[in-house]
Amino acid sequence: MPTDAASETLNPHQEAAVPIDRRTFLLTPAAALAAQESRQIRTAAIGIGNRGTALLRQVLSNANARVTAVCDIDPQARDRAASAAARDNPRVFDDYRRVLDLADVDAVTIASPCDLHAPMAADALRAGKYVYCEKPVGITPEQVQSVLTASRGAKGFLQIGQQLRYFPDLREVIRQIHGGVHGATLVVKAQRHSSAPEAGKERPRAAWYDDVKRSGDLIVENAVHNIDVCNWIVNSRPVSAYGHGKKYFPKPIPAGTLMMDGFSVEYIYENDVHLDYSQLYMHPRGLKELSNGQWYIAFGDQGAVHVSKGLYYPMHAAAEPRDLLTAELRSSKEKAMEDFFACILEKRTPFADIKVAATAALTAILGREAIYRRRSVEWKDLGVTI
């Protein structure tokens, strides 16, 4: 056993350090904790805009990680990231490929524009790195296929930034749905509604975001979070989709040119469940009959579960709904990045793994293509095998 425990790092090309259970059995609790925290994962941040900066902060706050490199094409973003991670004295790069060549990088976070997720993630997997990639994993079927191919036989793994899967309360409610608390799921309804911004008060956005050929459009860049939760609830994947959408403000423009601000999609799943998903940026704040915000409801043959509220409503009972959550779960926090590092140390597959990543992205792409083509589109038309 090394005497200088603080010098230990995890090399993705070698076996990890001795597992905690055997190594720390004979240590005092304090010594065991120190040994565990000394196994630091050398991490590089690729893409350091708003989301990338948030990920960088999470890496810095994790006792099992340190930042060895930061990378962005924007010099100001690089400077901000280097200053934020000054504790770890990271090297600074403007080309992500140079980061992937580094021997002292075990893991990378990727938070670049959406069209760059797939090539960067695939290259990182081929370089033997562990990858935390923001959603979506790709914006075309071909991009998704490229990451799936790179993941097969890779020394590292990919965890996708579908962080809603890492909220303990949501995980518990969906566990109970899968257990049949409401009977068999028949239909899911879900939405993501908000009010249109007032003229002159629009939030500034990066130029790539509104470019549908770079972002993948609203359903792929944004709604993929919510659609992934629907996939999780249904516990299947779609066979077909049909939808309609536009950019409605300031004047209606057909879908496929600029990012949509409203759409609806109907999905039919392999297990014959029907999903009705709506996303609108035109919901008046005072309209209460159809509540604003994000929610999911699973309708079963014995009742319904309001997933976002954690409540079960029996089909014919007039009583108050049953609470599916404890107070502790209701106050729990998302733990996606924490679990990413735990998976590396414990050599286990992430909950939001490459299969989740590919299925979520392809479901969103399927809906987008149905909207663009103005007809029903089938999963098999995408030509990707998961």
Side-chain angles (χ1 to χ4, degrees), residues 141-142 362-363 365-366 369 377-384:
E142 294 78 14
L362 290 171
T363 303
I365 291 167
L366 183 70
E369 293 306 301
V377 178
E378 296 188 2
W379 183 275
K380 65 183 180 181
D381 296 337
L382 301 180
V384 179

Side-chain angles (χ1 to χ4, degrees), residues 112-115 135 139 197 202-222 246-250 253-262 279 281 368 372:
S112 56
C114 295
D115 60 323
K135 55 71 197 165
I139 63 171
E202 295 85 359
R203 185 175 164 186
R205 301 192 299 213
W208 66 264
Y209 187 87
D210 286 312
D211 182 348
V212 298
K213 299 199 182 309
R214 300 206 64 195
S215 67
D217 216 322
L218 184 67
I219 189 171
V220 176
E221 196 287 331
N222 189 271
K246 290 181 181 180
K247 177 171 173 54
Y248 288 95
F249 294 93
I253 299 174
T257 51
L258 295 175
M259 180 173 274
M260 297 180 286
D261 50 21
Q279 185 149 339
Y281 290 146
R368 181 191 68 200
Y372 283 9

Side-chain angles (χ1 to χ4, degrees), residues 42-74:
R42 302 165 297 182
T43 306
I46 299 174
I48 323 162
N50 290 337
R51 183 59 188 159
T53 298
L55 294 178
L56 179 64
R57 293 194 190 103
Q58 292 182 53
V59 175
L60 288 166
S61 68
N62 193 296
N64 290 320
R66 63 185 175 89
V67 179
T68 52
V70 295
C71 177
D72 201 289
I73 60 172
D74 181 348

Side-chain angles (χ1 to χ4, degrees), residues 218-219 223 227 244-246 248 260-265 277-280 371:
L218 184 67
I219 189 171
I227 288 172
H244 179 78
K246 290 181 181 180
Y248 288 95
M260 297 180 286
D261 50 21
F263 67 88
S264 297
V265 182
Y277 181 80
S278 169
Q279 185 149 339
L280 299 174
I371 293 168

